[in-house]
Amino acid sequence: MGTFRVTVSKDYLGFAAAHFLTFRGHACESLHGHNYRVAMTIEGPVDPECNFVIDFAVVKRTLRKQVELLDHRVLLPTRNPKLSYREAGDMTMVEYLGALTYQFPTRDCVMLPITNSTAEMIAEWMANTVRDELRATGAVIESLELEVEESPGQSAIYGERRSEDRP
């Protein structure tokens, strides 16, 4: 018996964001940015009434919501033990290994529940968020892959298969 996979990859599913990594001495330790692109592939059964795995419009809308959340922001990982944050007025202060390293307007920051702002961790977070939202609409997702491209030819893909004991 065959399976079906659908992919959504649109030019408008991209975001520009700044980030830094917490690897002492690494070139990406300094604040820098990327023009990211996002794509998602979903595998699942074809709905007998609609004859599709999932409505492309629903996937695009759900991905676009996540992309818009990150667009033109500074990505800050909240689960990184090397970083701490505090707000002072309308500013977010970032301490790296106990030293004040950055301060950003709070409105320009997005706090992500990840350990580092690598393409891999962004892809995993986004895939989990989008998967949960799609399943809440009744979508049956047997497997998924979410790609976050930092620049042309350089991307990370997070994938998972549905286990029998998990909805």
Side-chain angles (χ1 to χ4, degrees):
M1 185 164 175
T3 61
F4 289 91
R5 293 170 49 138
V6 296
T7 299
V8 172
S9 177
K10 295 290 200 177
D11 289 341
Y12 61 78
L13 291 175
F15 61 97
H19 79 129
F20 59 91
L21 302 180
T22 56
F23 304 127
R24 269 284 184 227
H26 192 280
C28 294
E29 185 179 29
S30 298
L31 184 66
H32 65 285
H34 298 282
N35 290 316
Y36 294 91
R37 185 192 60 80
V38 174
M40 186 171 206
T41 299
I42 297 170
E43 182 177 333
V46 170
D47 181 284
E49 182 179 340
C50 304
N51 291 303
F52 56 54
V53 173
I54 190 167
D55 187 342
F56 285 128
V58 173
V59 177
K60 290 185 289 189
R61 185 172 49 247
T62 306
L63 284 171
R64 189 164 205 162
K65 186 167 78 170
Q66 297 308 310
V67 164
E68 288 174 354
L69 175 71
L70 304 180
D71 193 31
H72 287 84
R73 304 292 177 159
V74 179
L75 309 181
L76 298 173
T78 61
R79 294 184 178 163
N80 188 315
K82 297 176 184 177
L83 297 172
S84 61
Y85 305 98
R86 63 184 165 81
E87 288 188 26
D90 60 352
M91 301 298 287
T92 294
M93 309 301 184
V94 181
E95 291 185 1
Y96 177 32
L97 297 173
L100 180 60
T101 306
Y102 297 111
Q103 61 180 21
F104 303 110
T106 300
R107 72 180 179 279
D108 293 341
C109 298
V110 62
M111 309 302 276
L112 296 173
I114 57 179
T115 55
N116 221 332
S117 56
T118 61
E120 292 87 347
M121 295 298 100
I122 296 168
E124 180 183 29
W125 166 79
M126 189 176 288
N128 289 331
T129 302
V130 170
R131 178 204 61 223
D132 291 348
E133 286 190 31
L134 293 175
R135 284 193 176 148
T137 70
V140 177
I141 300 172
E142 292 178 354
S143 72
L144 65 83
E145 289 184 343
L146 191 134
E147 178 181 18
V148 172
E149 181 183 77
E150 284 188 340
S151 62
Q154 181 172 308
S155 64
I157 300 171
Y158 172 79
E160 67 180 31
R161 292 197 77 60
R162 180 178 182 177
S163 65
E164 295 304 316
D165 59 341
R166 191 177 78 199

